[in-house]
Amino acid sequence: MGLRLKIEGSETINLPETSIVQVKFGADIPHDSNARSTDLGSTILITGKILTAVDGEAADDTSKIARWSLVPAENSDCYRKVQIDVVNASQIVRQISIPNAFVVDYEEDFTDETGAGVFTLLIKQKKDKMANLKFEGGFSGE
Amino acid sequence: MGFRLKVEGPSTIELGTTIVTGVKFRTDIPHDSNARSTDMGSTVTITGKILTAVDGDPFDSTRQLGLWALVPAEKSDCYRKVSVEVIAASQVVRKYTYPNAFVVDYKEDYGDVEGVGSFTLTIKQKKDKMAQVAVEGGYSVS
């Protein structure tokens, strides 16, 4: 499966299928509710590789994600538009748009045994804007 | 991947690629927030080897890290400037700079089966000085 990540805000971050390893989408609803709860949220976990540029090509955009995770809440730039595409056999299996996403966790991991680092990004949609989250898919693309 | 750690305080501690084996960078934000929280911190965990000097080489400065971990909070010396570089293929993939870092955890581990010890250092940036944290990367090693 090819996974693509696009983040739009004060700058654009593009990470293609060579970088993104895993995407986990979750709808957060209280498990102890007796009837449908209005307390609805959405969390997305994205895992990918931090690649080193070779042959003079430009560095990947992962360092921009690290800087996004450090944007203080006072700055409107902490909310960005995130789009995730799950592409398989020329079909867009899922296209998830999170228009007001903010970072709740970010981690980078490097060891001397691997040639590439690993990043883990956990984002949420702003809870009062949950209606704007788009969950599409099942159409041809490419 | 290679790592370089530099701690600047009353004395400078420099640990190079032969010593540092792993770096983990993390942005700490409360996971249960409904919108972007102002409660943000940043943590770096560094793991490495404690080498024994042979052939009259000078001892590595890992002992200085242990001494830093023991500096009481009353002394200004407990805050030091830390920079960590992640280097691969002549590129600086990341450079983290924490101008007011303090130690939250320090561990040294020795066993009778290994020839070297290992250390784990966890540092945080002083939380009210988060704006000074810098994440750079994607340029050639000068």
Side-chain angles (χ1 to χ4, degrees):
Chain A
M1 293 207 131
L3 303 163
R4 291 175 194 156
L5 172 70
K6 192 175 175 187
I7 303 172
E8 286 171 315
S10 62
E11 58 189 352
T12 302
I13 302 169
N14 257 317
L15 289 172
E17 49 272 30
T18 45
S19 294
I20 307 293
V21 174
Q22 191 189 44
V23 171
K24 271 189 200 182
F25 174 85
D28 310 325
I29 305 152
H31 282 205
D32 56 353
S33 55
N34 293 332
R36 179 67 184 185
S37 165
T38 46
D39 181 11
L40 170 72
S42 186
T43 309
I44 292 135
L45 178 75
I46 300 155
T47 313
K49 288 181 262 190
I50 300 167
L51 302 171
T52 312
V54 287
D55 288 337
E57 62 188 16
D60 69 8
D61 285 349
T62 50
S63 65
K64 293 181 187 170
I65 304 182
R67 283 191 287 272
W68 176 33
S69 78
L70 294 168
V71 172
E74 293 76 28
N75 189 334
S76 69
D77 191 32
C78 68
Y79 293 101
R80 294 189 183 180
K81 184 179 179 236
V82 176
Q83 185 179 315
I84 296 158
D85 287 351
V86 182
V87 188
N88 214 5
S90 297
Q91 300 284 315
I92 309 284
V93 180
R94 286 285 183 278
Q95 186 169 74
I96 306 168
S97 308
I98 310 117
N100 314 97
F102 63 98
V103 182
V104 281
D105 200 2
Y106 183 71
E107 194 174 323
E108 292 189 346
D109 200 344
F110 300 93
T111 73
D112 63 345
E113 288 158 5
T114 50
V118 176
F119 73 86
T120 311
L121 171 71
L122 189 69
I123 54 170
K124 278 187 177 182
Q125 164 72 351
K126 196 168 183 294
K127 216 166 188 175
D128 54 321
K129 303 280 185 198
M130 274 302 292
N132 299 346
L133 190 142
K134 282 204 205 97
F135 196 73
E136 295 163 317
F139 49 85
S140 34
E142 273 304 85
Chain B
M1 298 202 123
F3 310 96
R4 271 192 231 149
L5 170 71
K6 194 175 177 187
V7 181
E8 288 168 81
S11 62
T12 302
I13 308 167
E14 274 186 88
L15 297 174
T17 49
T18 50
I19 292 173
V20 183
T21 56
V23 172
K24 240 185 239 249
F25 164 85
R26 190 188 178 104
T27 307
D28 309 318
I29 304 154
H31 279 208
D32 56 353
S33 56
N34 292 335
R36 179 71 180 184
S37 165
T38 46
D39 180 13
M40 176 172 65
S42 190
T43 310
V44 169
T45 304
I46 298 145
T47 49
K49 290 179 263 192
I50 300 165
L51 301 175
T52 314
V54 286
D55 287 338
D57 287 342
F59 262 94
D60 66 26
S61 37
T62 48
R63 195 176 69 90
Q64 301 299 323
L65 290 180
L67 291 174
W68 177 31
L70 296 171
V71 172
E74 291 75 30
K75 289 180 77 174
S76 67
D77 181 26
C78 64
Y79 293 101
R80 296 188 184 180
K81 186 184 173 199
V82 175
S83 68
V84 183
E85 284 180 310
V86 180
I87 298 161
S90 299
Q91 299 281 313
V92 178
V93 179
R94 286 288 185 278
K95 185 180 178 180
Y96 307 111
T97 313
Y98 281 46
N100 314 94
F102 63 98
V103 182
V104 283
D105 198 8
Y106 184 71
K107 274 185 288 210
E108 289 192 352
D109 213 336
Y110 303 95
D112 67 346
V113 286
E114 309 100 336
V116 293
S118 63
F119 71 87
T120 308
L121 172 74
T122 306
I123 55 167
K124 279 190 176 181
Q125 166 73 351
K126 196 169 182 294
K127 216 166 188 176
D128 54 323
K129 303 278 186 199
M130 273 302 294
Q132 273 87 294
V133 172
V135 180
E136 296 155 307
Y139 51 87
S140 303
V141 177
S142 52

